[in-house]
C-alpha cells in the first residue's frame, strides 16, 4: 500500500485514452463511540443496563457530492438515517456519542464515457498513513440497480484486466451489499452510496486485521 | 441560537389574536399540526440529554425534524434583555429517526400533538409567531385521539434566530413586536409566568367587532383606539407608530 501504487492505479484509468480528469473529490467517514456510563459508578441498587446495549458500529458520512447532507449508519441495526449537515453540531451538543476516528476518502475523478470514476486513497484525519486505495464507479445513464448490474459487471471485468496487465500488487475487491436489508429500493440514491462507503471501510478494516 | 418569549391566551381570544397578527404581519398564516416526541437519553449514556422529534402532519407527506434546545445565556447581558437567548439546533431527518434514536439509547419521555397556526415575517429580524394548543394522546402515537392538555388555554411563542453577536438587536425587534400584542397577552421569558392579561376580553371584542376586512393601517388605528379607551396609552402609541411614519394625522 503506497502512494506509488495509487499513482499507478490513476495511470490505469488515464490509460483508457478517453478518460477526462475532472478534479478532486473527498468523502469523510466518522466512527462514533458512545459516551457510556460506568456501571460501577452508580449509587443506586437498581440494575443499570450495560453499555454493551449501545451500538459500537455507529458511522457518519459526508459525501463528496452532497455537502448539505449527512448520513448516519447503524450497521447492526441495518439503519441508515439521512439528515442535514448541521446534524453533526446537534450530535456534538448531545455529548452522547463522540467522534473517535475520522477517515477521508479522497482523490481524482474521471469521466470515461457514460462512467464517472473516482480513484482515491483512504487516510486517517491528521495522519499521512495510507489505509487503503479504493475506486468508485458510477454509471450515469441509469438509476436502477438491477438494470445496470450487467454493464457494471462488464466494466469491472475490463478494469480488473487492466489492473492485471499493469502488474499491480493486490486486487480490487467488490463487496456486494444487500440494500434491501436497510430498506432501500432499486432506485439508486445517495443513501446507497453512503452504505457502500461504510461497507468499504468494514472490508478495509477486516483486511488490515487479517 | 434563538431569542424566545412565551405567553398564554384563552382559546376564546385566539381568533382576535389571529386577526391582529394577520394585520401586523401581512403574510398568510401557516397551519400547524406537529406530532412532537420528546426523547431523553437512557441510563446507559453518561451525559443526560434531550431531543425532540417533530413530525409535521400538516403537509401531504409527513416530514421529520430533530431539535435540540440547549441552555439559556447567562450573565449581566442576559438579565438586561426581556427575551431568552438560548442555543437551538435543528435538522431535517429521514422518517426512520425515531427508530434511529431508540437504537442510540434514547427513550420516549412524552409525546404531544401541537395544533394551531404560525406567522413568519421580517420585522427587524426574521420572526416566527406560533399559537398552538398542546394535546396529549391516550394511546402511544394515537394522534387522531388527542385531547387538549389545557382546554381553553393556548400557548403563544415568538422566536427569532440570532447568530450570538446580534442578540441585542434581535431581542429588541422581538420585544418591540410584543408591544403590539400587549392588550391581548403578555409575553415573557419561558419559565416567567405572567398569566392571562385582564384586558384581553375587551381588546378581543374590539378587534372582532371593528375589523371585518380592514387593511393594516385601519386595523392598527382601531386597535389603538381600543387601547386608548382602556387607558393603555403606551400600547396605543405603539399601535399608532406605523401611522406616524407615513405622516398621517392622528385624531
Amino acid at each position: 500500500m503506497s502512494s506509488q501504487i495509487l499513482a499507478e492505479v490513476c495511470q490505469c484509468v488515464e490509460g483508457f485514452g478517453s478518460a477526462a480528469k475532472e478534479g478532486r473529490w473527498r468523502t469523510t467517514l466518522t466512527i462514533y463511540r458512545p459516551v457510556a456510563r460506568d456501571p460501577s459508578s452508580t449509587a443506586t441498587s437498581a440494575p443499570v443496563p450495560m453499555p454493551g446495549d449501545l451500538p459500537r458500529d455507529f458511522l457518519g458520512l459526508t459525501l463528496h457530492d452532497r455537502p448539505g447532507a449527512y448520513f448516519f449508519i447503524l450497521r447492526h441495526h441495518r439503519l441508515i438515517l439521512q439528515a442535514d449537515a448541521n446534524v453533526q453540531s446537534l450530535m456534538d451538543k448531545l455529548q452522547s456519542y463522540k467522534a473517535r476516528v475520522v477517515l477521508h476518502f479522497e482523490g481524482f475523478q474521471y469521466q470515461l464515457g457514460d462512467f464517472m470514476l473516482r480513484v482515491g486513497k483512504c487516510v486517517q484525519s491528521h495522519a499521512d498513513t495510507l489505509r487503503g486505495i479504493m475506486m468508485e464507479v458510477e454509471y450515469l445513464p441509469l438509476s436502477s440497480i438491477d438494470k445496470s448490474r450487467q454493464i457494471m459487471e462488464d466494466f469491472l471485468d475490463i478494469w480488473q484486466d487492466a489492473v492485471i496487465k499493469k502488474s499491480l500488487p493486490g486486487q480490487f475487491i467488490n463487496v456486494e451489499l444487500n440494500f434491501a436489508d436497510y430498506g432501500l429500493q432499486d432506485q439508486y440514491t445517495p443513501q446507497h452510496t453512503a452504505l457502500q462507503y461504510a461497507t468499504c471501510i468494514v472490508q478495509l478494516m477486516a483486511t488490515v486485521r487479517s | 441560537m434563538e431569542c424566545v418569549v412565551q405567553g398564554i391566551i384563552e382559546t376564546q381570544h385566539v381568533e382576535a389574536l389571529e386577526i391582529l397578527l394577520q394585520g401586523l404581519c401581512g403574510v398568510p398564516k401557516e397551519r400547524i399540526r406537529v406530532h412532537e416526541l420528546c426523547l431523553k437519553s437512557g441510563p446507559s449514556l453518561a451525559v443526560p440529554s434531550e431531543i425532540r422529534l417533530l413530525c409535521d402532519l400538516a403537509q401531504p407527506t409527513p416530514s421529520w425534524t430533530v431539535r435540540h434546545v440547549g441552555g439559556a445565556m447567562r450573565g449581566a447581558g442576559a438579565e438586561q434583555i426581556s427575551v431568552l437567548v438560548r442555543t437551538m439546533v435543528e435538522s431535517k431527518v429521514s422518517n426512520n429517526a425515531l427508530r434511529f434514536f431508540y437504537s442510540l439509547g434514547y427513550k420516549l419521555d412524552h409525546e404531544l400533538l401541537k395544533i394551531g397556526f404560525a406567522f413568519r415575517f421580517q420585522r427587524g429580524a426574521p420572526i416566527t409567531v406560533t399559537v398552538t394548543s398542546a394535546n396529549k394522546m391516550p394511546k402511544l402515537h394515537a394522534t387522531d385521539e388527542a385531547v387538549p392538555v389545557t382546554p381553553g388555554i393556548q400557548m403563544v411563542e415568538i422566536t427569532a434566530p440570532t447568530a450570538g453577536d446580534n442578540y441585542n438587536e434581535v431581542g429588541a425587534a422581538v420585544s418591540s413586536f410584543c408591544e403590539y400584542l400587549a392588550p391581548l397577552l403578555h409575553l415573557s421569558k419561558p419559565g416567567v409566568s405572567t398569566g392571562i392579561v385582564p384586558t384581553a376580553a375587551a381588546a378581543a371584542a374590539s378587534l372582532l367587532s371593528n375589523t371585518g376586512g380592514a387593511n393594516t393601517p385601519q386595523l392598527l388605528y382601531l386597535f389603538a383606539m381600543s387601547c386608548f379607551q382602556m387607558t393603555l396609552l403606551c400600547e396605543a402609541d405603539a399601535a399608532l407608530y406605523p401611522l406616524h411614519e407615513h405622516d398621517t394625522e392622528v385624531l
Side-chain angles (χ1 to χ4, degrees):
Chain A
M1 193 78 64
S2 68
S3 299
Q4 176 62 31
I5 298 175
L6 177 60
E8 292 184 26
V9 171
C10 290
Q11 288 170 11
C12 241
V13 176
E14 291 160 9
F16 282 115
S18 55
K21 199 169 188 179
E22 292 207 338
R24 306 190 76 93
W25 64 275
R26 173 191 267 196
T27 284
T28 300
L29 184 147
T30 303
I31 301 174
Y32 291 93
R33 292 280 185 255
V35 182
R37 187 144 65 103
D38 181 3
S40 62
S41 67
T42 180
T44 68
S45 57
V48 176
M50 296 300 292
D53 297 345
L54 302 173
R56 300 221 165 243
D57 55 354
F58 182 22
L59 308 176
L61 282 113
T62 303
L63 296 180
H64 47 80
D65 57 351
R66 291 283 189 280
Y70 199 76
F71 301 86
F72 285 120
I73 296 170
L74 289 168
R75 294 187 63 253
H76 181 70
H77 295 82
R78 298 289 190 263
L79 260 175
I80 177 165
L81 182 88
Q82 182 169 347
D84 292 341
N86 66 345
V87 78
Q88 298 173 81
S89 171
L90 189 146
M91 290 301 294
D92 285 344
K93 292 191 185 305
L94 293 179
Q95 298 184 63
S96 51
Y97 290 80
K98 295 278 190 186
R100 296 302 184 200
V101 179
V102 178
L103 297 156
H104 300 298
F105 297 85
E106 55 190 20
F108 291 100
Q109 70 178 26
Y110 302 84
Q111 174 109 32
L112 181 61
D114 289 332
F115 291 88
M116 184 68 76
L117 307 181
R118 293 176 189 92
V119 181
K121 59 185 176 184
C122 176
V123 291
Q124 193 163 331
S125 184
H126 307 303
D128 293 331
T129 310
L130 196 66
R131 298 288 183 179
I133 294 171
M134 51 76 62
M135 186 168 76
E136 180 184 326
V137 179
E138 182 182 359
Y139 183 59
L140 300 169
L142 290 178
S143 297
S144 163
I145 296 171
D146 282 343
K147 288 179 183 168
S148 57
R149 189 179 305 280
Q150 187 59 54
I151 195 166
M152 294 290 268
E153 287 176 356
D154 291 344
F155 179 90
L156 287 176
D157 287 342
I158 295 169
W159 170 251
Q160 298 285 26
D161 286 342
V163 168
I164 289 170
K165 283 179 185 164
K166 197 86 175 162
S167 301
L168 291 175
Q171 59 178 340
F172 280 88
I173 302 170
N174 178 33
V175 179
E176 288 284 340
L177 184 63
N178 188 354
F179 294 111
D181 285 346
Y182 288 81
L184 299 185
Q185 307 301 316
D186 179 62
Q187 195 76 5
Y188 197 84
T189 66
Q191 292 188 21
H192 291 77
T193 303
L195 276 176
Q196 293 203 73
Y197 273 98
T199 304
C200 185
I201 202 65
V202 169
Q203 177 67 33
L204 184 67
M205 291 163 71
T207 303
V208 168
R209 275 196 292 269
S210 67
Chain B
M1 299 181 74
E2 64 176 6
C3 294
V4 58
V5 289
Q6 291 175 349
I8 56 173
I9 188 169
E10 290 182 84
T11 301
Q12 60 180 321
H13 302 320
V14 166
E15 185 184 354
L17 176 61
E18 182 183 336
I19 291 171
L20 179 59
L21 288 171
Q22 183 70 67
L24 290 170
C25 305
V27 296
K29 76 174 181 185
E30 299 172 17
R31 187 171 152 248
I32 290 180
R33 186 176 175 85
V34 174
H35 182 187
E36 185 174 299
L37 300 104
C38 178
L39 305 182
K40 293 188 177 178
S41 55
S44 295
L45 293 167
V47 180
S49 60
E50 180 179 313
I51 55 163
R52 288 175 190 266
L53 288 181
L54 310 172
C55 182
D56 184 355
L57 300 173
Q59 306 304 320
T61 303
S63 62
W64 289 80
T65 301
V66 60
R67 176 184 290 171
H68 173 69
V69 175
M73 189 179 77
R74 295 176 185 175
E79 290 171 13
Q80 286 167 8
I81 58 174
S82 56
V83 303
L84 189 82
V85 182
R86 63 189 184 189
T87 58
M88 193 282 290
V89 183
E90 65 179 22
S91 167
K92 292 284 184 198
V93 287
S94 45
N95 60 10
N96 55 353
L98 182 59
R99 191 174 145 225
F100 171 77
F101 280 101
Y102 279 161
S103 301
L104 289 186
Y106 283 80
K107 315 287 182 194
L108 179 66
D109 185 73
H110 65 272
E111 57 180 343
L112 290 171
L113 179 67
K114 294 208 170 161
I115 301 173
F117 57 86
F119 289 90
R120 300 177 203 277
F121 56 97
Q122 183 79 23
R123 190 187 281 262
I127 294 176
T128 300
V129 181
T130 60
V131 182
T132 55
S133 66
N135 300 268
K136 58 188 176 185
M137 283 151 269
K139 291 184 298 192
L140 188 66
H141 305 331
T143 54
D144 291 339
E145 299 173 33
V147 294
V149 175
T150 53
I153 295 289
Q154 297 198 20
M155 189 170 87
V156 181
E157 185 175 83
I158 299 184
T159 59
T162 171
D165 55 355
N166 66 341
Y167 67 84
N168 275 315
E169 290 78 18
V170 174
V174 171
S175 296
S176 173
F177 184 77
C178 288
E179 292 176 13
Y180 290 108
L181 310 182
L184 275 174
L185 77 158
H186 278 164
L187 294 143
S188 59
K189 296 178 182 179
V192 178
S193 175
T194 57
I196 294 171
V197 173
T199 56
S206 179
L207 272 163
L208 290 172
S209 65
N210 289 324
T211 51
N215 61 19
T216 300
Q218 182 177 1
L219 174 68
L220 288 171
Y221 172 73
L222 290 168
F223 189 63
M225 288 302 297
S226 303
C227 295
F228 181 76
Q229 287 160 10
M230 290 183 279
T231 326
L232 299 169
L233 301 182
C234 291
E235 288 80 359
D237 183 64
L240 288 172
Y241 181 77
L243 294 178
H244 290 168
E245 286 182 276
H246 298 287
D247 294 325
T248 304
E249 186 174 346
V250 177
L251 297 177

